[in-house]
Amino acid sequence: MNLLRKRRIALSGLFFLAGLSFASWASRIPDFQQLFDLSEGQLGTLLLGMPLGSLIALPLAGWAVDKYGSRRVIVTGSLLYALSLLSLGYTGSVIQLGVAVVLFGMMGNIMNISLNTQALLVEDGYNRSILASFHGLWSLAGFAGAGIGALMIKLGWAPVNHYWLVAGIMLLILVSSFNLLFKEEKRAGSGGLMLKKPDALLLRIGLVGFFGMMCEGCMFDWSGVYLKKVVVASPDLVPLGYVTFMAAMASGRFFSDALANKWSKIVMLRISGTLICIGLLIAVIYPAFGTAVAGFLLVGFGTASVIPLSYSIAGRSKMYAPSISLALVSTISFFGFLLGPPMIGFIAELFDLQVSFAVIAMMGMCITLLVSIKTQLFESYKIPANKKAAAGK
């Protein structure tokens, strides 16, 4: 096995680790709600700490990776991510839990930027698209983490004991992987913690991510509600909409790289936006259980490629270092995730949920339009051929 292949396997383990950590927290949220006797509204407010922490960490992550290199930040970030996960289990009040959730969100996004920066180096070595497969492993880890969480609950393990187990797994993966990561040179003059002004390429691809994350947020928060209130599905069938979407998104990431290499990343983004639009419109026009779930399946396949390919393109910006470019695109994209679900609720209040989903369908078409106008803007992202040999050293 050559060195580049070993690097890819090591980094794959770290992506899986990040997804497992997040899913471990998410799978025990009902336990925390019960422990602190939180209402639905109080729990919703508490969970806002996660995106808040992610947003706070974006300029810090971009600066740290740019100055110290993704390898150092991955090692430090993994240890801090494990500690922040453990801190959730040791909280004794709602205030402490809120602070811990914010810190956990911060550490998660530091891992996000550093892992994706390292993934771009590995992708350069392959001289072809492979970033989506890393994101697929993150999604796959979500299913594994949910399964482990269900087992821990069945065995009667408290969240803190569950998190110690996950932290031990994290440490094992980190120890076996960090020597295989690319060691970048320390950079001078990284420009402090403030985010830069995006150039035309980063602004365009950031908007692609914005609309993609808006569609993801729609499915995460509203797919079950849609099946319950619009489709009027039986309670035992309601979760199948979300599960179908997640399964399609996770599996789609494992073959989207091959399609991107065959047709190009821009063509794949066009297809992705079109699938999102068609899938949501099917659910709107034909609101029966079978057709709605089939539509959600298409949305899952559509969203699978949007963020990985957006990151891959952004990392080739000629204006900024990859970590800074990723932080910029992540920031723009992230607001889509924050604004999408509340916007759906607001539109549903004025009209109904079907109108909300129709509006989100147009967001998918916006992705297709953004990568179909002035396509010469995307020429700068291509990987130089001479990087292939350099990345194996």
Side-chain angles (χ1 to χ4, degrees):
M1 187 183 299
N2 63 33
L3 179 57
L4 188 59
R5 179 69 174 169
K6 291 179 181 178
R7 292 187 192 280
R8 183 176 182 177
I9 292 172
L11 188 59
S12 295
L14 290 167
F15 267 91
F16 188 88
L17 166 113
L20 182 66
S21 301
F22 176 79
S24 298
W25 147 248
S27 67
R28 303 306 295 263
I29 288 175
D31 294 276
F32 287 103
Q33 182 179 20
Q34 182 179 7
L35 178 64
F36 294 107
D37 193 25
L38 302 174
S39 67
E40 301 298 324
Q42 290 171 327
L43 179 62
T45 302
L46 175 74
L47 294 179
L48 285 175
M50 184 72 69
L52 176 62
S54 297
L55 197 59
I56 293 171
L58 277 168
L60 172 64
W63 166 79
V65 174
D66 184 41
K67 184 170 183 179
Y68 299 108
S70 59
R71 182 176 183 266
R72 290 185 179 183
V73 178
I74 287 171
V75 173
T76 305
S78 295
L79 296 174
L80 292 176
Y81 202 23
L83 288 174
S84 65
L85 178 64
L86 287 171
S87 72
L88 292 166
Y90 282 105
T91 53
S93 68
V94 176
I95 293 176
Q96 290 177 1
L97 181 60
V99 173
V101 169
V102 171
L103 291 174
F104 187 67
M106 291 179 64
M107 293 305 106
N109 220 4
I110 287 173
M111 289 293 289
N112 172 45
I113 299 299
S114 58
L115 286 173
N116 278 285
T117 303
Q118 183 76 200
L120 288 171
L121 296 172
V122 178
E123 187 174 72
D124 285 350
Y126 276 85
N127 200 26
R128 57 185 171 85
S129 180
I130 63 167
L131 200 65
S133 64
F134 291 122
H135 286 242
L137 283 165
W138 192 98
S139 299
L140 188 64
F143 287 102
I148 293 172
L151 177 62
M152 296 296 102
I153 293 170
K154 185 176 181 180
L155 294 175
W157 284 34
V160 67
N161 297 326
H162 174 186
Y163 294 161
W164 269 110
L165 174 65
V166 174
I169 296 172
M170 292 173 71
L171 185 60
L172 287 174
I173 293 176
L174 180 61
V175 168
S176 61
S177 301
F178 81 94
N179 277 331
L180 290 168
L181 299 177
F182 284 100
K183 186 177 181 181
E184 301 134 294
E185 294 295 325
K186 182 177 178 180
R187 293 170 59 95
S190 55
L193 300 183
M194 66 177 165
L195 290 172
K196 316 291 185 181
K197 180 181 178 181
D199 61 8
L201 171 66
L202 295 180
L203 179 60
R204 179 81 67 87
I205 208 64
L207 288 173
V208 168
F210 174 88
F211 290 121
M213 292 290 280
M214 184 175 284
C215 296
E216 281 191 37
C218 166
M219 298 307 297
F220 287 149
D221 292 358
W222 289 95
S223 58
V225 178
Y226 191 88
L227 288 182
K228 182 179 179 180
K229 293 190 173 181
V230 177
V231 177
V232 196
S234 61
D236 57 318
L237 293 178
V238 165
L240 285 180
Y242 175 77
V243 170
T244 300
F245 163 75
M246 282 298 296
M249 185 172 72
S251 60
R253 286 175 167 172
F254 288 105
F255 61 75
S256 63
D257 281 322
L259 295 178
N261 291 320
K262 182 178 181 180
W263 296 330
S264 87
K265 295 173 184 176
I266 299 304
V267 170
M268 273 300 295
L269 285 173
R270 288 176 191 157
I271 294 172
S272 296
T274 303
L275 286 175
I276 291 169
C277 182
I278 292 173
L280 287 170
L281 287 179
I282 288 174
V284 169
I285 297 170
Y286 305 103
F289 179 77
T291 50
V293 171
F296 293 170
L297 182 77
L298 292 179
V299 177
F301 285 131
T303 54
S305 302
V306 175
I307 293 302
L309 294 183
S310 296
Y311 282 5
S312 183
I313 293 172
R316 271 87 200 186
S317 168
K318 293 181 178 178
M319 188 169 184
Y320 298 121
S323 59
I324 300 297
S325 300
L326 288 175
L328 287 168
V329 169
S330 293
T331 301
I332 299 171
S333 302
F334 195 73
F335 279 106
F337 194 78
L338 286 179
L339 296 176
M343 187 182 79
I344 291 172
F346 179 71
I347 296 173
E349 281 285 325
L350 292 176
F351 302 99
D352 59 40
L353 205 51
Q354 282 176 279
V355 173
S356 296
F357 271 54
V359 171
I360 297 299
M362 295 304 101
M363 303 300 100
M365 190 49 60
C366 286
I367 294 173
T368 301
L369 292 174
L370 281 168
V371 294
S372 300
I373 300 170
K374 295 183 179 179
T375 55
Q376 65 272 19
L377 183 66
F378 299 103
E379 289 300 313
S380 62
Y381 79 83
K382 303 209 173 156
I383 305 170
N386 62 357
K387 283 193 176 184
K388 183 175 182 180
K393 293 181 182 179

